[in-house]
């Protein structure tokens, strides 16, 4: 069973096609047609809805253990409902545009519009209106998060921090408008705070969207429902037997929602060919665009262990053939981009800066690091950067060679084999990796950088933001103590071949060279020995090679500038 709130009303679902998206559920099952379908691919933002994750003890404990209470996920976030499974709403409050207005009598003429809605009216931010609900939800989300963030600091709404132009633009960067134009919509975003302040001054009733819901009651309802579904004459072997029952079941199609890694291992041992679903920002297209009806889905959203991060000791090889002890940042495979951002800002600030150019806020709220890597797209944004950082990947293979070993499906002992391998060994061929049936990604291990290491990342795309890479270069350059010699180099390439890869020959050409632009000019000529780029709708082979060569030279100029600054 999955349970969630929709516009303030509690919902429970057990009999539903697991492939049902939030948008399909809203429009076809609930008749909630204020949310529109545009592209059906998570690109246009017309279907944007706002979601509040209901507080849970496990999440609060997880944040406390990581020491990042201040960096917890904001109370509200937006998602693309067209590619998000409705089961991902379990334990959440889902809100659509019609819920924002304070309309207790259900009479439009007496409704008090949300500041985002009122601002859109006053700034003439809508023409055909098809994209408007999505814009309203994106603006309402940034407004509410800003209001909540400043409520404890400001004495009144009039003292609250005003949203900046950049904050408004960033909030709607995942929404497309083809008729109104962005100027009046941005003006509406800037006007929202003024409307809120005026209403407080006039003591106007304002709807509080940060409702406090009885989450403990939800848990108890769910537990009692599970117990009631188990016949009295069935003797359960262990507590996990109840936990791994399908959450959704319809015409033979099943969805499992394990809560722990042990439960995930057991379900995978039973269903090794199941579709593993994390954020689903790419898998969602298999449902909406390719019309695939997945028979068994294992959803990872309930496993908090996959969303944690930590620091661990690691041993790395040096350029001289020795070994050195260092620390690695361990990122759980289920961490979304938004959850990773504050962690990367602390340990890899140049890596974090790239995030504003990766996808849209709606996608970053759902997409995970494990999904981006396991997807094995040659144009994925994260793999080239992680390759340059010498990252390793932690894989878990459940029930390996079960038929040969004769393992019992119900026997959870010794059904999993763990391995940690360099990420460079994970990608085999186009869309082919070391993952097997019954395998999943547990975590990514990223060695922390030293003072003599420098990271430069350059992404080329047709649009600066929210666009797929034509090519991406990530360069980690290690210099000597005096800053004169390049001791090591790692060059990660994306969009240049069938898989993300390291430019090993080009790397070698840099090692031992002096830190000047000429060294990078010479190494750039070696790049053609590492890779033969592809030609597609985004860029030609010749363009990709020329651009990446010039990007490498740009990295050299940046390194020289940093060395001069440090020596000054």
């Amino acid at each position: 069973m999955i349970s969630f709130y929709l516009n303030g009303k509690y919902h429970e679902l057990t009999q539903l096609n697991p492939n049902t998206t939030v948008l399909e559920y809203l429009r076809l099952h609930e008749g909630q047609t204020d949310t529109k379908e545009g592209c059906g691919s998570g690109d246009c933002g017309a279907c944007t809805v706002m979601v509040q994750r209901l507080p849970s003890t496990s999440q609060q404990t997880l944040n406390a253990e990581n020491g990042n209470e201040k960096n917890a996920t904001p109370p509200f976030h937006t998602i693309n409902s067209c590619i998000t499974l409705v089961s991902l709403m379990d334990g959440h409050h889902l809100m659509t545009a019609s819920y924002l207005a304070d309309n207790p009598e259900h009479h439009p003429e007496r409704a008090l519009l949300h500041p985002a809605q009122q601002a859109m009216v006053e700034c003439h931010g809508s023409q055909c209106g098809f994209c408007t609900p999505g814009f309203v939800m994106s603006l309402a989300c940034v407004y509410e998060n800003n209001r909540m963030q400043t409520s404890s600091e400001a004495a009144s709404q009039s003292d609250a921090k005003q949203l900046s132009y950049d904050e408004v633009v960033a909030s709607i960067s995942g929404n497309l408008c083809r008729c109104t134009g962005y100027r009046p919509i941005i003006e509406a975003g800037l006007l929202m705070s003024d409307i809120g302040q005026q209403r407080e001054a006039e003591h106007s009733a304002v709807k509080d969207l940060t409702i406090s819901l009885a989450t403990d009651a939800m848990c108890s309802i769910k537990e009692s429902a599970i117990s009631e579904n188990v016949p009295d004459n069935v003797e359960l072997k262990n507590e996990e037997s109840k936990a791994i029952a399908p959450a959704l079941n319809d015409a033979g199609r099943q969805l499992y929602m394990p809560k722990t890694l042990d439960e995930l291992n057991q379900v995978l041992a039973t269903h090794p060919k199941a579709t593993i679903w994390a954020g689903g920002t790419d898998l969602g297209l298999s449902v909406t665009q390719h019309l695939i009806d997945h028979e068994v889905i294992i959803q990872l959203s309930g496993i908090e262990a996959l969303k944690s991060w930590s620091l661990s000791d690691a041993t790395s090889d040096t350029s001289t053939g020795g070994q050195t002890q260092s620390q690695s940042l361990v990122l759980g495979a289920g961490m979304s981009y938004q959850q990773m951002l504050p962690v990367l800002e602390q340990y890899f600030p140049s890596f974090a800066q790239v995030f504003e150019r990766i996808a849209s806020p709606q996608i970053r709220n759902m997409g995970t690091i494990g999904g981006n890597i396991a997807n094995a797209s040659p144009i994925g944004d994260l793999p080239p950067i992680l390759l340059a950082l010498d990252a390793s990947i932690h894989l878990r293979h459940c029930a390996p060679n079960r038929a040969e070993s004769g393992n019992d499906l119900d026997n959870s002992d010794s059904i999993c084999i763990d391995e940690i391998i360099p990420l460079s060994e994970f990608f085999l061929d186009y869309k082919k990796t070391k993952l097997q049936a019954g395998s999943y990604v547990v975590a990514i291990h990223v060695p922390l950088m030293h003072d003599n290491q420098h990271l430069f990342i350059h992404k080329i795309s047709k649009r600066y933001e929210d666009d797929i890479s034509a090519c991406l270069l990530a360069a980690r350059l290690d210099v000597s103590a005096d800053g004169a010699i390049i001791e090591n180099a790692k060059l990660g390439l994306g969009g240049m071949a069938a898989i993300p890869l390291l430019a090993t020959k080009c790397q070698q050409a840099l090692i031992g060279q002096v830190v000047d632009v000429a060294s990078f000019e010479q190494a750039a000529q070696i790049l053609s020995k590492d890779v033969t780029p592809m030609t597609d709708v985004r860029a030609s082979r010749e363009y990709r090679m020329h651009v990446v060569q010039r990007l490498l030279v740009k990295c050299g100029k940046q390194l020289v500038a940093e060395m001069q600054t440090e020596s000054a």
Side-chain angles (χ1 to χ4, degrees):
M1 179 184 72
I2 66 170
S3 57
F4 59 96
Y5 282 81
L6 170 59
N7 289 342
K9 296 181 179 179
Y10 182 72
H11 285 64
E12 288 181 1
L13 300 175
T14 54
Q15 298 295 318
L16 184 72
N17 186 339
N19 297 274
T20 303
T21 64
V22 172
L23 182 65
E24 182 182 358
Y25 180 77
L26 288 174
R27 295 182 64 86
L28 301 183
H29 294 259
E30 292 295 322
Q32 197 80 39
T33 55
D34 54 327
T35 304
K36 310 300 181 184
E37 179 176 11
C39 64
S41 304
D43 288 329
C44 73
C47 69
T48 300
V49 293
M50 191 162 71
V51 176
Q52 176 190 14
R53 181 176 182 181
L54 303 178
S56 64
T57 304
S58 59
Q59 181 62 23
Q60 293 169 359
T61 302
L62 184 64
N63 288 335
E65 290 175 351
N66 288 334
N68 64 339
E69 295 91 340
K70 293 182 180 180
N71 294 328
T73 304
F76 298 100
H77 62 274
T78 53
I79 64 171
N80 293 120
S81 62
C82 67
I83 57 173
T84 303
L85 294 185
V86 70
S87 53
L88 283 162
M89 295 299 97
D90 184 62
H92 289 73
H93 182 208
L94 171 64
M95 289 159 275
T96 67
S98 61
Y99 181 71
L100 297 179
D102 190 4
N103 188 17
E105 299 176 4
H106 302 288
H107 196 296
E109 294 181 0
R110 300 174 186 171
L112 182 66
L113 297 180
H114 185 276
Q117 296 170 316
Q118 187 64 45
M120 287 287 278
V121 172
E122 296 184 14
C123 295
H124 306 285
S126 177
Q127 285 192 32
C128 79
F130 194 84
C131 68
T132 303
F135 273 102
V136 165
M137 299 310 291
S138 292
L139 291 175
C141 185
V142 70
Y143 172 85
E144 291 293 336
N145 283 333
N146 178 68
R147 184 170 67 88
M148 291 187 64
Q149 180 182 356
T150 58
S151 62
S152 59
E153 304 170 1
S156 65
Q157 179 67 20
S158 60
D159 300 323
K161 180 178 74 70
Q162 292 280 348
L163 287 168
S164 68
Y165 178 91
D166 289 340
E167 288 174 319
V168 171
V169 171
S171 72
I172 60 174
S173 61
N175 298 76
L176 301 183
C177 175
R178 292 181 173 85
C179 58
T180 306
Y182 287 94
R183 180 188 56 78
I185 298 174
I186 294 172
E187 289 176 351
L190 295 173
L191 183 63
M192 293 187 298
S193 297
D194 292 337
I195 293 176
Q197 293 171 8
Q198 181 180 352
R199 288 182 178 175
E200 183 178 88
E202 297 173 351
H203 302 287
S204 300
V206 177
K207 185 173 185 177
D208 185 8
L209 300 179
T210 60
I211 55 178
S212 178
L213 301 174
T215 55
D216 291 338
M218 289 177 62
C219 295
S220 62
I221 291 172
K222 190 176 290 189
E223 290 174 0
S224 62
I226 292 174
S227 301
E228 291 172 2
N229 290 333
V230 179
D232 295 335
N233 58 348
V234 175
E235 184 175 332
L236 298 174
K237 294 185 177 181
N238 49 48
E239 291 300 319
E240 287 75 18
S241 298
K242 292 187 289 185
I244 59 176
L248 290 179
N249 204 327
D250 178 74
R253 295 173 293 243
Q254 298 176 323
L255 180 134
Y256 291 87
M257 295 183 62
K259 300 300 182 184
T260 66
L261 290 177
D262 286 340
E263 292 176 7
L264 172 59
N265 299 340
Q266 293 178 45
V267 177
L268 267 178
T270 308
H271 302 282
K273 295 185 179 181
T275 300
I276 298 179
W277 201 289
T281 54
D282 185 73
L283 272 176
L285 274 67
S286 68
V287 175
T288 63
Q289 303 297 306
H290 304 292
L291 306 180
I292 296 176
D293 214 21
H294 299 279
E295 292 186 6
V296 180
I297 297 175
I298 301 176
Q299 187 173 297
L300 307 182
S301 60
I303 306 177
E304 296 297 339
L306 290 177
K307 302 176 186 178
S308 65
W309 63 272
S310 62
L311 292 176
S312 68
D313 294 330
T315 302
S316 58
D317 296 328
T318 65
S319 57
T320 58
Q323 290 186 332
T324 181
Q325 288 293 124
S326 62
Q327 279 191 314
S328 282
L329 177 63
V330 182
L331 299 169
M335 292 185 73
S336 69
Y337 287 80
Q338 199 59 42
Q339 290 169 332
M340 285 190 294
L341 182 57
V343 183
L344 293 179
E345 285 175 339
Q346 180 178 356
Y347 295 101
F348 297 94
S350 55
F351 191 171
Q353 290 175 1
V354 183
F355 272 43
E356 68 181 19
R357 298 197 57 203
I358 298 177
S360 65
Q362 293 93 320
I363 297 297
R364 292 197 295 268
N365 287 331
M366 298 299 294
T368 64
I369 181 174
N372 189 261
I373 295 172
N375 184 39
S377 170
I379 52 175
D381 290 302
L382 299 187
I385 304 172
L386 294 169
L387 285 170
L389 290 171
D390 257 347
S392 299
I393 186 168
H394 179 181
L395 304 178
R396 179 165 295 166
H397 309 287
C398 297
N401 301 319
R402 185 175 58 223
E404 298 172 4
S405 61
N407 286 346
D408 187 351
L409 293 181
D410 293 328
N411 179 15
S412 61
D413 297 331
S414 304
I415 64 172
C416 295
I417 293 179
D418 284 38
E419 66 171 335
I420 300 176
I421 61 174
L423 185 61
S424 57
E425 299 177 7
F426 177 71
F427 304 104
L428 304 178
D429 202 346
Y430 178 71
K431 291 286 188 175
K432 293 184 179 180
T433 69
K434 284 290 186 78
L435 288 174
Q436 311 163 8
S439 301
Y440 65 95
V441 182
V442 179
I444 308 299
H445 298 244
V446 190
L448 298 186
M449 294 177 62
H450 303 296
D451 292 339
N452 69 321
Q453 295 179 325
H454 303 262
L455 179 65
F456 306 103
I457 305 169
H458 297 290
K459 172 180 175 177
I460 302 298
S461 56
K462 291 187 175 182
R463 289 196 309 263
Y464 185 80
E465 296 174 328
D466 190 13
D467 199 8
I468 295 172
S469 297
C471 50
L472 189 149
L473 170 67
R476 196 207 74 199
L477 304 168
D478 305 356
V479 299
S480 57
D482 59 5
I485 303 296
I486 302 172
E487 293 188 337
N488 200 0
K490 293 288 183 179
L491 306 177
L493 302 178
M496 298 289 284
I499 59 174
L501 48 77
L502 288 170
T504 54
K505 293 183 174 62
C506 191
Q507 293 171 179
Q508 197 61 37
L510 282 172
I511 297 176
Q513 301 298 312
V514 295
V515 178
D516 61 24
V517 177
S519 299
F520 289 85
E521 292 274 9
Q522 295 174 2
Q525 302 307 312
I526 310 296
L527 193 61
S528 59
K529 297 182 180 179
D530 279 308
V531 62
T532 301
M534 54 186 176
T535 295
D536 57 22
V537 295
R538 281 174 289 276
S540 66
R541 176 184 298 109
E542 295 77 14
Y543 174 84
R544 282 187 162 102
M545 178 59 71
H546 177 73
V547 166
V548 173
Q549 287 175 329
R550 300 319 300 168
L551 289 178
L552 181 59
V553 175
K554 183 176 182 179
C555 291
K557 293 179 179 179
Q558 291 175 304
L559 180 63
V560 170
E562 287 192 6
M563 293 298 97
Q564 292 174 345
T565 302
E566 291 179 5
S567 61

